[in-house]
C-alpha cells in the first residue's frame, strides 16, 4: 500500500511541475491608438416606445498608458483617454487647452479620461480598477448670419466644462497577440450619478474610427483618383428602421427610436505595446 501511495504522490508532483504557469504581463505599456477603441452605448426604446433596447451612440478612439504588475496587482495602473476620431490624438487636453489649428472650423470637443487610483485582482483573474472619470467639454457659440458679405460662420470664445466622478473599470486578463497584448474593460455610468457625462456623450458627434489605416498613392495617370486607403472601419450602427407601411394610425417615423440615456456603458478595447522608455516583459 505504501508503495502505491508514494507512486501517487510522485505522479501528482510531476503533474504540478508540468502544468503551465499563468502568463504575468509585467511592465509599462502604451495604448496603441491605431488599434484601440471605446464603444459607447446607452439605453433607449424602439417601435414608438414599446420595446426597450440599447443603442451604440458612438465609437471613440483611445490612447494612454497602462502599467501592469503580475506579482502585485495593487501596483497596476490604467490612464487613458477617449475622444472623437478626428485625429490620432485629441486636440483638447484634460485641462481644456486646445491646439490653435483646431479653432478654425470646430464648435465643440469632448474628451473623457480615466485615471486609476487602485487596482485589485478579482476571483476570476480579471483586474478591477477604481479611479477618476474626467469629462472635459469645450463649446463655442456659432454665429450664422447670411448676407452679401457672408464669409462663413463666426465662432465665439471657448467655454470649458470639466467634471470629475469616481468610476470602476473591470479589465480582462491581457492576452498575447502578435507581439502585443489585447485587453478589454468596461464600466457603467448612471445618469443620476454623472448627468454631465451622459449628456455630453449622447450629444457628441463620433466620426468613424479607422484602424490599421494604410494609404498608397498610385502613379499619376489620366484616371488618377487620389490616394487609395485600406483599414478596418468602425462606425456607429444605424438605428432600427421604421416600418414603411403607412396607415391611418401610423404616428410617423420621427418617434420610432428614442435614446433615453438613463445608463451609459463604456466598453474599451485596447492593444498594448511595450513602452520604449521603460520596457515590458511577459513572465
Amino acid at each position: 500500500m505504501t508503495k502505491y501511495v508514494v507512486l501517487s504522490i510522485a505522479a501528482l508532483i510531476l503533474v504540478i511541475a508540468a502544468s503551465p504557469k499563468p502568463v504575468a504581463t509585467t511592465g509599462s505599456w502604451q495604448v496603441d491608438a491605431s488599434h484601440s477603441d471605446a464603444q459607447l452605448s446607452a439605453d433607449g426604446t424602439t417601435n414608438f416606445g414599446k420595446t426597450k433596447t440599447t443603442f451604440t451612440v458612438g465609437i471613440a478612439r483611445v490612447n494612454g498608458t497602462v502599467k501592469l504588475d503580475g506579482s502585485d496587482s495593487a501596483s497596476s495602473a490604467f490612464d487613458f483617454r477617449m475622444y472623437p476620431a478626428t485625429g490620432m490624438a485629441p486636440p483638447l487636453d484634460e485641462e481644456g487647452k486646445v491646439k490653435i489649428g483646431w479653432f478654425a472650423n470646430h464648435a465643440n470637443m469632448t474628451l473623457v479620461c480615466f485615471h486609476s487610483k487602485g487596482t485589485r485582482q478579482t476571483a476570476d483573474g480579471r483586474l478591477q480598477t477604481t479611479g477618476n472619470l474626467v469629462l472635459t467639454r469645450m463649446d463655442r457659440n456659432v454665429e450664422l448670419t447670411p448676407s452679401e458679405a457672408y464669409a462663413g460662420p463666426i465662432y465665439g470664445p471657448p467655454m470649458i466644462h470639466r467634471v470629475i466622478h469616481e468610476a470602476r473599470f473591470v479589465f480582462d486578463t491581457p492576452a498575447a497577440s502578435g507581439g502585443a497584448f489585447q485587453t478589454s474593460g468596461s464600466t457603467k455610468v448612471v445618469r443620476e450619478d454623472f448627468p454631465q457625462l451622459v449628456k455630453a456623450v449622447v450629444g457628441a458627434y463620433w466620426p468613424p474610427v479607422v484602424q490599421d489605416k494604410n494609404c498608397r498613392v498610385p502613379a499619376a495617370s489620366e484616371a488618377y483618383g487620389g490616394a487609395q486607403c485600406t483599414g478596418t472601419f468602425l462606425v456607429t450602427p444605424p438605428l432600427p428602421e421604421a416600418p414603411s407601411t403607412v396607415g391611418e394610425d401610423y404616428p410617423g417615423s420621427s418617434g420610432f427610436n428614442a435614446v433615453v440615456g438613463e445608463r451609459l456603458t463604456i466598453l474599451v478595447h485596447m492593444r498594448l505595446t511595450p513602452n520604449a522608455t521603460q520596457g515590458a516583459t511577459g513572465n
Side-chain angles (χ1 to χ4, degrees), residues 46-48 238-246 250-257:
T46 188
N47 194 19
F48 304 107
L239 299 178
E241 291 187 8
S244 56
T245 303
V246 178
Y250 182 65
S253 60
S254 60
F256 187 77
N257 300 302

Side-chain angles (χ1 to χ4, degrees), residues 23 25 172-184 270 272:
V23 176
T25 311
D172 296 332
T173 303
S177 175
F181 282 85
Q182 300 281 354
T183 186
S184 297
M270 291 182 179
L272 307 178

Side-chain angles (χ1 to χ4, degrees), residues 16-268:
I16 294 175
S19 299
K21 294 181 180 180
V23 176
T25 311
T26 299
S28 180
W29 300 83
Q30 198 76 28
V31 179
D32 182 1
S34 299
H35 300 85
S36 302
D37 66 90
Q39 180 178 323
L40 310 166
S41 304
D43 60 302
T45 63
T46 188
N47 194 19
F48 304 107
K50 298 177 184 177
T51 306
K52 293 183 178 180
T53 187
T54 299
F55 295 123
T56 299
V57 296
I59 298 177
R61 196 179 292 281
V62 181
N63 71 7
T65 58
V66 175
K67 178 186 175 184
L68 298 174
D69 191 327
S71 60
D72 182 13
S73 59
S75 299
S76 298
F78 292 79
D79 287 278
F80 56 90
R81 292 163 291 279
M82 298 167 282
Y83 50 95
T86 52
M88 291 305 298
L92 173 73
D93 72 9
E94 190 175 329
E95 302 302 324
K97 296 180 181 179
V98 185
K99 294 180 180 179
I100 297 299
W102 186 86
F103 273 98
N105 54 7
H106 292 83
N108 52 59
M109 178 67 189
T110 300
L111 175 68
V112 182
C113 303
F114 178 76
H115 306 294
S116 66
K117 297 186 296 183
T119 304
R120 73 175 186 87
Q121 191 168 31
T122 62
D124 58 359
R126 297 194 292 173
L127 291 175
Q128 177 179 291
T129 179
T130 303
N132 287 333
L133 195 61
V134 185
L135 166 68
T136 304
R137 172 81 180 183
M138 193 210 73
D139 293 290
R140 303 164 70 193
N141 292 324
V142 183
E143 182 179 337
L144 299 170
T145 307
S147 65
E148 293 183 0
Y150 179 72
I154 299 175
Y155 296 93
M159 297 173 287
I160 306 298
H161 311 276
R162 187 171 184 267
V163 191
I164 303 174
H165 194 275
E166 189 174 80
R168 178 182 298 167
F169 276 85
V170 178
F171 282 91
D172 296 332
T173 303
S177 175
F181 282 85
Q182 300 281 354
T183 186
S184 297
S186 64
T187 188
K188 294 183 183 295
V189 179
V190 180
R191 182 168 63 178
E192 184 178 353
D193 296 334
F194 202 169
Q196 302 91 339
L197 176 66
V198 177
K199 180 180 179 181
V201 168
V202 171
Y205 168 61
W206 302 97
V209 174
V210 181
Q211 295 185 346
D212 200 21
K213 185 177 180 180
N214 182 27
C215 294
R216 182 178 62 86
V217 179
S221 66
E222 294 182 359
Y224 178 73
Q228 299 176 355
C229 299
T230 59
T232 302
F233 196 69
L234 304 180
V235 64
T236 304
L239 299 178
E241 291 187 8
S244 56
T245 303
V246 178
E248 294 182 0
D249 299 329
Y250 182 65
S253 60
S254 60
F256 187 77
N257 300 302
V259 177
V260 177
E262 291 292 340
R263 298 176 304 278
L264 175 70
T265 299
I266 303 176
L267 175 59
V268 183

